[in-house]
Amino acid sequence: MITQTPHPITTASIVFRAKALTKTYVMGEVQVQALRGIDMELYSGELVVFLGPSGSGKSTLLNILGGLDTATSGEVTYRDHDLITATDQELTEYRRDHVGFVFQFYNLISSLTARENVAIVTEIAEHPMTPEEALTLVGLADRMDHFPAQLSGGEQQRVAISRAIAKNPEVLLCDEPTGALDSQTGIKVLEALDTVNRELGTTTAVITHNVSIGAMADRVIHLRDGLISEVQIIEHKKAPGELSW
Amino acid sequence: MKALDQKVLRDLKNISGMVLVIALMIACGVATYVMSLSSYDSLRITRDAYYDDYRFSDVFVSLKRAPEQVKSRLREIEGVQQVETRVVAMANIEIPGFNMPVRGQLISLPNEGGQPQMNRLFIRSGRLIDPQKDNEVIISEPFANAHNLEPGNRISAIINGRRKQLTIVGIALSPEYVMEIGPGAVVPDYKLYGILWMARPPLASAYDMEGAFNNVTLTLERGALEENVIDRLDLILEPYGGLGAYGQADQTSNFYLSEEFNQLKVMATVLPLIFMGVAAFLLNIAIGRLVRSQREEIAVLKAFGYSNLEVGLHFIKMVTIIVIIGIIAGIAFGAYIGQALSGLYKEFYRFPYLKYHLEPYLVVSSALISFAAAFAGVIFAVRSAVLLPPAEAMRPERPAVYRKMLLEWIGLGYLFDQPTRMIIRNLERRPFKAFLSIIGISLAGAIVMLGQFAYSSVDFIVDAEFRRSQRDDLHVTFSEPASRKALYELNRLPGVYYAEPYRSAQVRLRHTYHTYRTGIQGIPENSELRRLLDTDLNVIHLPENGLVLTDNLAKNLDLQEGDTVQVEVLEGKRSISNIPVVRLIHQYFGLAAYMDLDALNRFMQEQEVISGAYLSIDSKFRKDIYAELNRRPRVVSVTYREQLIQNFYDAMAENWLIISFFISMFAAATAFSVIYNNARIALSERSRELASLRILGFTRGEISYILIGELVVLGLLAIPIGFFVGWWLTAYIVYAMQTDLYSLPLIVEPGTYTLSALIVIVSTIIAGVIVKLKLNRLDLIAVLKTRE
């Protein structure tokens, strides 16, 4: 059951649009229907939280939006880019120029320092900020030359965030960014995301199964069993510092 | 530096062990290639330069006696550039302090003094003779070395029955005698046979050759046809007892040298190519695995917008560095050994100098092959890594699909505990990967076997040819064919148990347009001391009439059993007639013609003539028999079988054995690289899983068992497959190395198999130890933090 409540900023431009989106994938001997028909839109500058239990299809949806995975059927567009019919090369360019990712397990390159991990992305971007600027933004100015092995989980995740935002992307996609962290560290990470969203106007999508996090979003999209079960509009967003779990 | 390039360097540092091992594999392949080919090239270039610089002549002929005037007729033959006449004779040499009979080939130098026009001498020490003095002599270097002779020493020569004191004034080398092989011999024996050059007048007067000559050498004009010159030469010299002219190809020294070169060439090309091929294949697999182990990082790069090309280039850079290290090491080491090997060759072949050449094509081709193999490995692996949408690549590796083991299906599952089941199921899960690992290891084991084949084959030939076929103690050769009476005289010598005659007739065989110059061996019926054996070591009984040829010779003449061959006798009553070839046999020494002794005598229209005899003697009397035979002017050589065997080993064996040694070493290093590489990658792929087991309470020993157990199983399976592949590779080399002169038997001794297995086992043990050390230091906490 989908309830779509009109949003105050519908006048803002639509960044992502999905129509009848499905995704089935094969895991060994098991077939999994991750998405069963998603219709939704994301608007420029908003912070959206995708909420749902394990297996609800949230990561799958994010991966498709980010061009990291292919849909089985339906339509997905980013502005005027059709992501369904895009070739691998086109998707690569799309990711390069428009999207920043934050993964649950950071996925930093272990043989590079924090600064270099950010540099690896800025070096192929058109209008990036410097690695130093990006790391300062997340509060890691004094840890730039450390290797991931020398950083705590929260610091690694913040490096990942600064890597994602350093190229000044239009869209920031975060898959369970606080999943592996304790609540205090998690809040720091969320603060960084919030800063980026507010100060740079980056459209931000955050996936989580943690209900409390929804309070800091503009909208919360609930997913269950591969379908959108509810779309909530948050009238009064909380600051990350006010969250607790 | 760009971050991605920084990653290349850091990653290489992190896997430095594997980098070294892969580079080692490349280095071994390249070194073998460079070592073999550069030494062969150098040898060939040196020989060509030597022949050129010292004017090795084109045509040679010996005759009975012709007056000097005939020389001008020879000069007029169309195509002849220069003619040189000589007096040549065989004499007994007496060397103070040396008791065995020594023969020397005496060769005259020009009357005017100085160097001859052709077949010039390289003077190692001393000087040329003074043409005014009649007792000065130059001796060949190997002969001098064998007897520790120097300029100033004195020796005597029995020249045509008269003893003459000679003073050595110079020690020299000649392109005509790179290999000094005496009559009746197959290999050089520097102690018992040497070359001496002296003034012409004393030689001429001793042999009634004043104003005459009995030996001619010629050089040809460019474009001249050798056959035509030879035909004309033979025609002119026939009345003077010409024994048939021949070109460089048939000249003894050059012939044997060419045979050796042919074999070296095969060794130098086939062996290294096999090696390089195997190394390239293994390199390909190793690099592929390396790339695949970085699957997740590739996905991250792709997620952030790096194109497939950029990702591929990244790995190409990594691999380029590894390959360059390997190539540089391989070329350096290969050139170093190649140079040493060439030095050995120079000593052995008695070249006056050696020009070591490392031809650019070797460097370029070995680099190309290595890069091609490595890049192919990268490209295939990167391709498969980037084909997946990045999300899939980053998904936690789903629990792999496992099935019950085959052994469980047949009800034997209860025999195995959990850890063992893990080993077996893991191998069965990715059978192709296990298969590739096994192939890699077995190939390494196979090339270890390749390095050994020469030893076994040489031993076998020696046994077959010198021990089973030849059972005489002494082999006596007469200077001229003699009557059977000589045999009775030999029999009567004290200490001689039995003397068996033989006849060797110099002939030229002709069939259609193929010719071959050789000696027909006449062997008595029921011979005891010299038996004809085929390659299965069966005794061959010669038919009463007709010619028996080895199949190689038949192939040379394009003949089959039953055909007729034209025989031109080149000695005594020169005649031409036809003989049927009644049988073809297969022997290790490949170019021979045989007839029954009586049949040969009949064919030669002579009465019971023999060329020499084989003696079976009481060894107590050996010295006396030698002394007695030495006194007989009609006896031109006496060879002692055990000495022959020693000479054979010294001559043939050394080259092969040296190359074989190095190849075995490189093969062992490659085997270790493959196994270690497998182990290392298995470790990085399984470390999370194994750390989880540690957390659950497994001991270090138990998880080592799981990983190392897999390595051991792969190794054990690979060993017999390695035997199989190694046998086939050896068979191929033996086939490739057959020359006209001899073919190698395919012998793979148990020791070879053992060595191959041993190297695989030892490598597995060492790799296992290294892996265990790393397993001991597994970071358990890190595993807890990362997803499974």
Side-chain angles (χ1 to χ4, degrees):
Chain A
M1 181 187 63
I2 306 165
T3 44
Q4 185 92 281
T5 324
H7 191 270
I9 52 170
T10 37
T11 47
S13 53
I14 294 176
V15 173
F16 281 111
R17 175 182 274 134
K19 259 209 188 117
L21 179 62
T22 71
K23 171 71 181 180
T24 311
Y25 58 91
V26 177
M27 270 199 3
E29 294 179 342
V30 176
Q31 265 202 352
V32 178
Q33 259 199 313
L35 300 172
R36 292 169 198 265
I38 302 282
D39 296 310
M40 56 129 241
E41 282 148 4
L42 292 185
Y43 303 99
S44 160
E46 67 168 340
L47 197 156
V48 170
V49 165
F50 286 97
L51 206 53
S54 280
S56 53
K58 336 183 275 296
S59 290
T60 310
L61 178 57
L62 204 76
N63 288 338
I64 293 176
L65 291 180
L68 289 182
D69 205 349
T70 51
T72 307
S73 72
E75 285 174 32
V76 178
T77 51
Y78 164 78
R79 298 208 183 272
D80 49 359
H81 292 86
D82 183 346
L83 297 181
I84 301 291
T85 60
T87 62
D88 182 71
Q89 207 168 340
E90 287 164 346
L91 285 176
T92 303
E93 268 176 49
Y94 158 65
R95 290 195 301 271
R96 190 189 194 104
D97 298 333
H98 302 285
V99 184
F101 286 100
V102 179
F103 303 107
Q104 180 177 9
F105 291 104
Y106 335 133
N107 287 95
L108 296 178
I109 296 192
S110 48
S111 54
L112 296 177
T113 62
R115 189 202 306 261
E116 289 161 350
N117 263 289
V118 178
I120 214 171
V121 164
T122 59
E123 278 162 5
I124 55 167
E126 278 186 20
H127 310 287
M129 47 176 111
T130 66
E132 292 75 21
E133 283 174 339
L135 285 165
T136 310
L137 208 68
V138 298
L140 286 176
D142 55 344
R143 313 282 273 166
M144 291 197 222
D145 293 312
H146 286 77
F147 287 94
Q150 298 161 318
L151 299 171
S152 72
E155 288 167 337
Q156 287 185 58
Q157 191 60 295
R158 283 187 281 155
V159 172
I161 293 173
S162 77
R163 172 177 71 178
I165 60 169
K167 61 161 114 168
N168 281 317
E170 288 183 51
V171 173
L172 192 61
L173 303 176
C174 310
D175 190 345
E176 299 271 12
T178 59
L181 307 167
D182 64 277
S183 67
Q184 249 200 326
T185 319
I187 287 172
K188 278 216 187 70
V189 165
L190 292 173
E191 278 173 343
L193 288 178
D194 188 51
T195 308
V196 165
N197 172 254
R198 275 183 297 107
E199 293 188 9
L200 304 178
T202 316
T203 309
T204 310
V206 176
I207 288 182
T208 184
H209 58 273
N210 185 337
V211 177
S212 322
I213 295 180
M216 68 176 267
D218 292 311
R219 289 192 297 155
V220 177
I221 299 182
H222 296 261
L223 284 161
R224 177 175 237 66
D225 296 327
L227 292 167
I228 297 182
S229 60
E230 187 194 338
V231 178
Q232 233 183 316
I233 298 182
I234 309 297
E235 297 290 347
H236 302 289
K237 293 189 338 187
K238 281 194 185 163
E242 296 164 0
L243 302 174
S244 66
W245 63 86
Chain B
M1 193 193 303
K2 295 183 76 168
L4 207 53
D5 294 338
Q6 195 71 261
K7 176 177 181 294
V8 169
L9 294 178
R10 299 261 178 75
D11 282 348
L12 285 177
K13 202 165 80 110
N14 285 338
I15 54 164
S16 55
M18 214 145 56
V19 166
L20 282 176
V21 154
I22 295 178
L24 181 65
M25 214 154 43
I26 299 172
C28 287
V30 169
T32 308
Y33 184 70
V34 167
M35 148 187 117
S36 311
L37 281 175
S38 70
S39 50
Y40 171 73
D41 280 340
S42 305
L43 206 54
R44 196 177 37 84
I45 292 173
T46 298
R47 178 199 59 183
D48 292 344
Y50 183 34
Y51 280 2
D52 221 27
D53 292 344
Y54 287 83
R55 315 261 180 90
F56 185 41
S57 46
D58 295 312
V59 176
F60 308 79
V61 62
S62 291
L63 49 140
K64 260 231 160 69
R65 187 184 190 282
E68 196 63 26
Q69 296 92 299
V70 178
K71 180 175 175 183
S72 49
R73 287 171 63 193
L74 301 179
R75 232 190 256 123
E76 283 162 10
I77 298 176
E78 188 180 324
V80 166
Q81 190 186 53
Q82 277 186 327
V83 179
E84 190 155 38
T85 59
R86 305 188 295 191
V87 175
V88 164
M90 191 73 80
N92 282 1
I93 310 291
E94 282 171 359
I95 297 177
F98 190 73
N99 287 328
M100 300 208 358
V102 177
R103 304 289 167 185
Q105 173 92 303
L106 301 175
I107 302 178
S108 67
L109 289 170
N111 282 336
E112 320 79 68
Q115 288 268 10
Q117 281 183 333
M118 47 192 94
N119 304 314
R120 294 183 164 210
L121 302 178
F122 168 80
I123 305 289
R124 179 73 81 188
S125 60
R127 57 172 172 84
L128 282 171
I129 60 163
D130 178 351
Q132 307 292 353
K133 303 258 180 65
D134 70 344
N135 65 345
E136 290 188 345
V137 74
I138 298 174
I139 63 176
S140 59
E141 190 185 15
F143 185 56
N145 288 344
H147 290 284
N148 285 324
L149 293 169
E150 290 175 347
N153 290 153
R154 287 225 176 93
I155 56 175
S156 330
I158 317 281
I159 301 184
N160 208 8
R162 309 256 286 275
R163 179 174 285 107
K164 192 170 173 63
Q165 280 267 10
L166 299 170
T167 308
I168 299 171
V169 299
I171 310 230
L173 292 171
S174 159
E176 199 182 352
Y177 292 100
V178 173
M179 302 204 75
E180 292 173 23
I181 299 185
V186 186
V187 290
D189 186 342
Y190 300 119
K191 268 213 154 80
L192 302 184
Y193 176 73
I195 316 291
L196 302 96
W197 292 270
M198 55 187 290
R200 188 158 168 177
L203 260 187
S205 73
Y207 288 97
D208 187 29
M209 290 279 172
E210 272 144 337
F213 59 91
N214 68 355
N215 184 279
V216 182
T217 55
L218 308 171
T219 51
L220 300 179
E221 279 166 356
R222 199 164 296 210
L225 278 177
E226 188 180 282
E227 281 166 44
N228 294 348
V229 173
I230 286 181
D231 286 341
R232 296 245 24 172
L233 204 49
D234 283 346
L235 210 59
I236 296 174
L237 292 178
E238 210 225 306
Y240 304 101
L243 289 173
Y246 51 91
Q248 272 188 9
D250 289 321
Q251 195 259 354
T252 309
S253 163
N254 188 44
F255 174 68
Y256 281 103
L257 195 61
S258 300
E259 285 299 312
E260 293 249 344
F261 269 39
N262 283 342
Q263 290 221 314
L264 265 178
K265 182 171 175 201
V266 171
M267 281 274 273
T269 42
V270 173
L271 219 47
L273 276 179
I274 291 180
F275 221 101
M276 280 284 262
V278 170
F281 176 71
L282 297 174
L283 181 61
N284 196 304
I285 297 182
I287 303 282
R289 293 224 171 129
L290 187 63
V291 170
R292 248 166 273 142
S293 68
Q294 297 226 335
R295 197 171 171 258
E296 267 189 41
E297 291 191 345
I298 294 177
V300 170
L301 290 173
K302 285 224 66 188
F304 279 100
Y306 276 88
S307 67
N308 293 347
L309 185 62
E310 284 164 328
V311 171
L313 270 175
H314 165 67
F315 284 103
I316 296 248
K317 283 181 195 168
M318 201 189 285
V319 160
T320 300
I321 294 179
I322 301 180
V323 172
I324 286 182
I325 297 175
I327 291 179
I328 292 179
I331 292 180
F333 200 49
Y336 176 70
I337 300 182
Q339 211 159 3
L341 208 52
S342 301
L344 278 170
Y345 284 149
K346 167 178 169 264
E347 286 307 306
F348 178 70
Y349 287 114
R350 311 290 170 173
F351 289 135
Y353 45 68
L354 184 96
K355 302 177 187 250
Y356 177 70
H357 281 239
L358 181 57
E359 301 282 301
Y361 85 88
L362 277 182
V363 174
V364 171
S365 57
S366 56
L368 279 178
I369 295 175
S370 307
F371 276 120
F375 288 172
V378 167
I379 290 172
F380 282 124
V382 168
R383 232 174 70 88
S384 67
V386 299
L387 275 180
L388 294 174
E392 270 196 59
M394 279 190 291
R395 241 195 288 280
E397 281 251 28
R398 61 192 99 95
V401 177
Y402 282 94
R403 277 181 268 271
K404 289 217 269 189
M405 327 176 289
L406 279 151
L407 290 162
E408 281 178 288
W409 283 115
I410 60 174
L412 289 177
Y414 67 92
L415 283 175
F416 302 101
D417 58 9
Q418 274 311 115
T420 311
R421 279 190 218 182
M422 286 178 72
I423 295 175
I424 300 180
R425 284 198 191 137
N426 198 44
L427 286 172
E428 288 189 2
R429 173 173 73 94
R430 305 255 292 272
F432 184 68
K433 180 157 161 259
F435 174 71
L436 271 184
S437 300
I438 294 177
I439 291 289
I441 300 173
S442 62
L443 275 175
I447 47 182
V448 169
M449 284 176 66
L450 257 191
Q452 295 297 306
F453 87 97
Y455 298 97
S456 321
S457 294
V458 168
D459 281 344
F460 185 84
I461 288 191
V462 167
D463 189 55
E465 183 62 31
F466 292 117
R467 297 214 168 89
R468 305 215 197 184
S469 166
Q470 301 179 17
R471 307 193 297 168
D472 55 294
D473 298 312
L474 292 179
H475 168 196
V476 180
T477 314
F478 301 140
S479 55
E480 273 181 3
S483 78
R484 289 262 184 140
K485 270 204 324 223
L487 193 67
Y488 305 138
E489 284 181 35
L490 286 174
N491 251 326
R492 283 211 301 266
L493 288 176
V496 174
Y497 290 143
Y498 176 55
E500 189 174 280
Y502 72 92
R503 172 82 171 101
S504 180
Q506 281 294 306
V507 300
R508 185 175 281 134
L509 301 176
R510 238 187 225 110
H511 183 247
T512 62
Y513 54 85
H514 301 281
T515 72
Y516 192 75
R517 189 172 195 252
T518 184
I520 299 182
Q521 309 294 319
I523 301 185
E525 202 183 337
N526 300 325
S527 59
E528 286 284 325
L529 297 181
R530 277 290 171 109
R531 300 185 300 173
L532 266 191
L533 297 178
D534 63 17
T535 47
D536 297 321
L537 301 182
N538 294 323
V539 177
I540 298 166
H541 294 286
L542 288 170
E544 246 183 54
N545 283 304
L547 199 55
V548 173
L549 300 181
T550 53
D551 48 12
N552 270 342
L553 182 49
K555 206 162 59 158
N556 254 359
L557 295 169
D558 195 26
L559 269 177
Q560 305 207 355
E561 230 173 67
D563 286 343
T564 307
V565 67
Q566 184 195 73
V567 179
E568 180 189 344
V569 178
L570 296 173
E571 48 172 272
K573 295 200 194 80
R574 315 284 295 271
S575 61
I576 301 187
S577 47
N578 294 331
I579 305 186
V581 175
V582 296
R583 195 159 152 205
L584 295 183
I585 58 176
H586 187 65
Q587 289 196 310
Y588 289 119
F589 286 100
L591 294 169
Y594 302 100
M595 268 180 93
D596 174 73
L597 178 55
D598 292 329
L600 184 57
N601 283 149
R602 283 198 299 275
F603 172 75
M604 300 279 287
Q605 295 170 15
E606 54 191 20
Q607 301 270 35
E608 297 196 333
V609 167
I610 62 177
S611 309
Y614 301 114
L615 305 181
S616 157
I617 64 170
D618 180 345
S619 51
K620 286 203 297 285
F621 288 84
R622 179 148 56 93
K623 267 205 171 138
D624 300 320
I625 296 176
Y626 264 141
E628 181 57 41
L629 289 173
N630 223 10
R631 281 205 289 274
R632 312 265 167 124
R634 305 277 294 284
V635 170
V636 82
S637 84
V638 179
T639 38
Y640 166 48
R641 189 168 54 106
E642 285 305 319
Q643 186 67 46
L644 259 176
I645 293 175
Q646 188 55 50
N647 292 345
F648 182 79
Y649 270 115
D650 289 343
M652 307 277 130
E654 196 168 312
N655 297 335
W656 296 347
L657 296 183
I658 291 176
I659 293 190
S660 293
F661 171 71
F662 279 112
I663 290 190
S664 300
M665 288 239 300
F666 288 142
T670 304
F672 175 71
S673 312
V674 172
I675 293 174
Y676 175 73
N677 205 39
N678 275 346
R680 229 358 222 100
I681 299 230
L683 174 65
S684 60
E685 284 172 353
R686 313 274 305 281
S687 56
R688 258 195 212 137
E689 185 179 79
L690 296 173
S692 305
L693 287 176
R694 288 272 288 126
I695 292 165
L696 290 175
F698 275 59
T699 64
R700 288 194 169 95
E702 283 163 340
I703 61 163
S704 300
Y705 169 68
I706 293 174
L707 191 57
I708 296 177
E710 186 175 310
L711 298 177
V712 168
V713 169
L714 287 175
L716 288 178
L717 285 175
I719 289 176
I721 298 179
F723 290 167
F724 180 73
V725 175
W727 191 92
W728 276 101
L729 281 179
T730 307
Y732 176 70
I733 285 249
V734 163
Y735 164 73
M737 282 189 66
Q738 278 183 42
T739 65
D740 285 346
L741 192 54
Y742 41 82
S743 43
L744 286 173
L746 173 57
I747 309 273
V748 184
E749 283 172 356
T752 304
Y753 291 116
T754 310
L755 185 65
S756 165
L758 204 62
I759 286 184
V760 170
I761 292 174
V762 168
S763 302
T764 307
I765 292 176
I766 297 179
V769 165
I770 296 178
V771 158
K772 180 151 198 320
L773 289 175
K774 287 193 193 275
L775 273 179
N776 286 349
R777 291 180 291 151
L778 220 45
D779 184 348
L780 306 184
I781 309 303
V783 169
L784 284 176
K785 281 197 177 158
T786 56
R787 61 218 170 133
E788 182 47 50

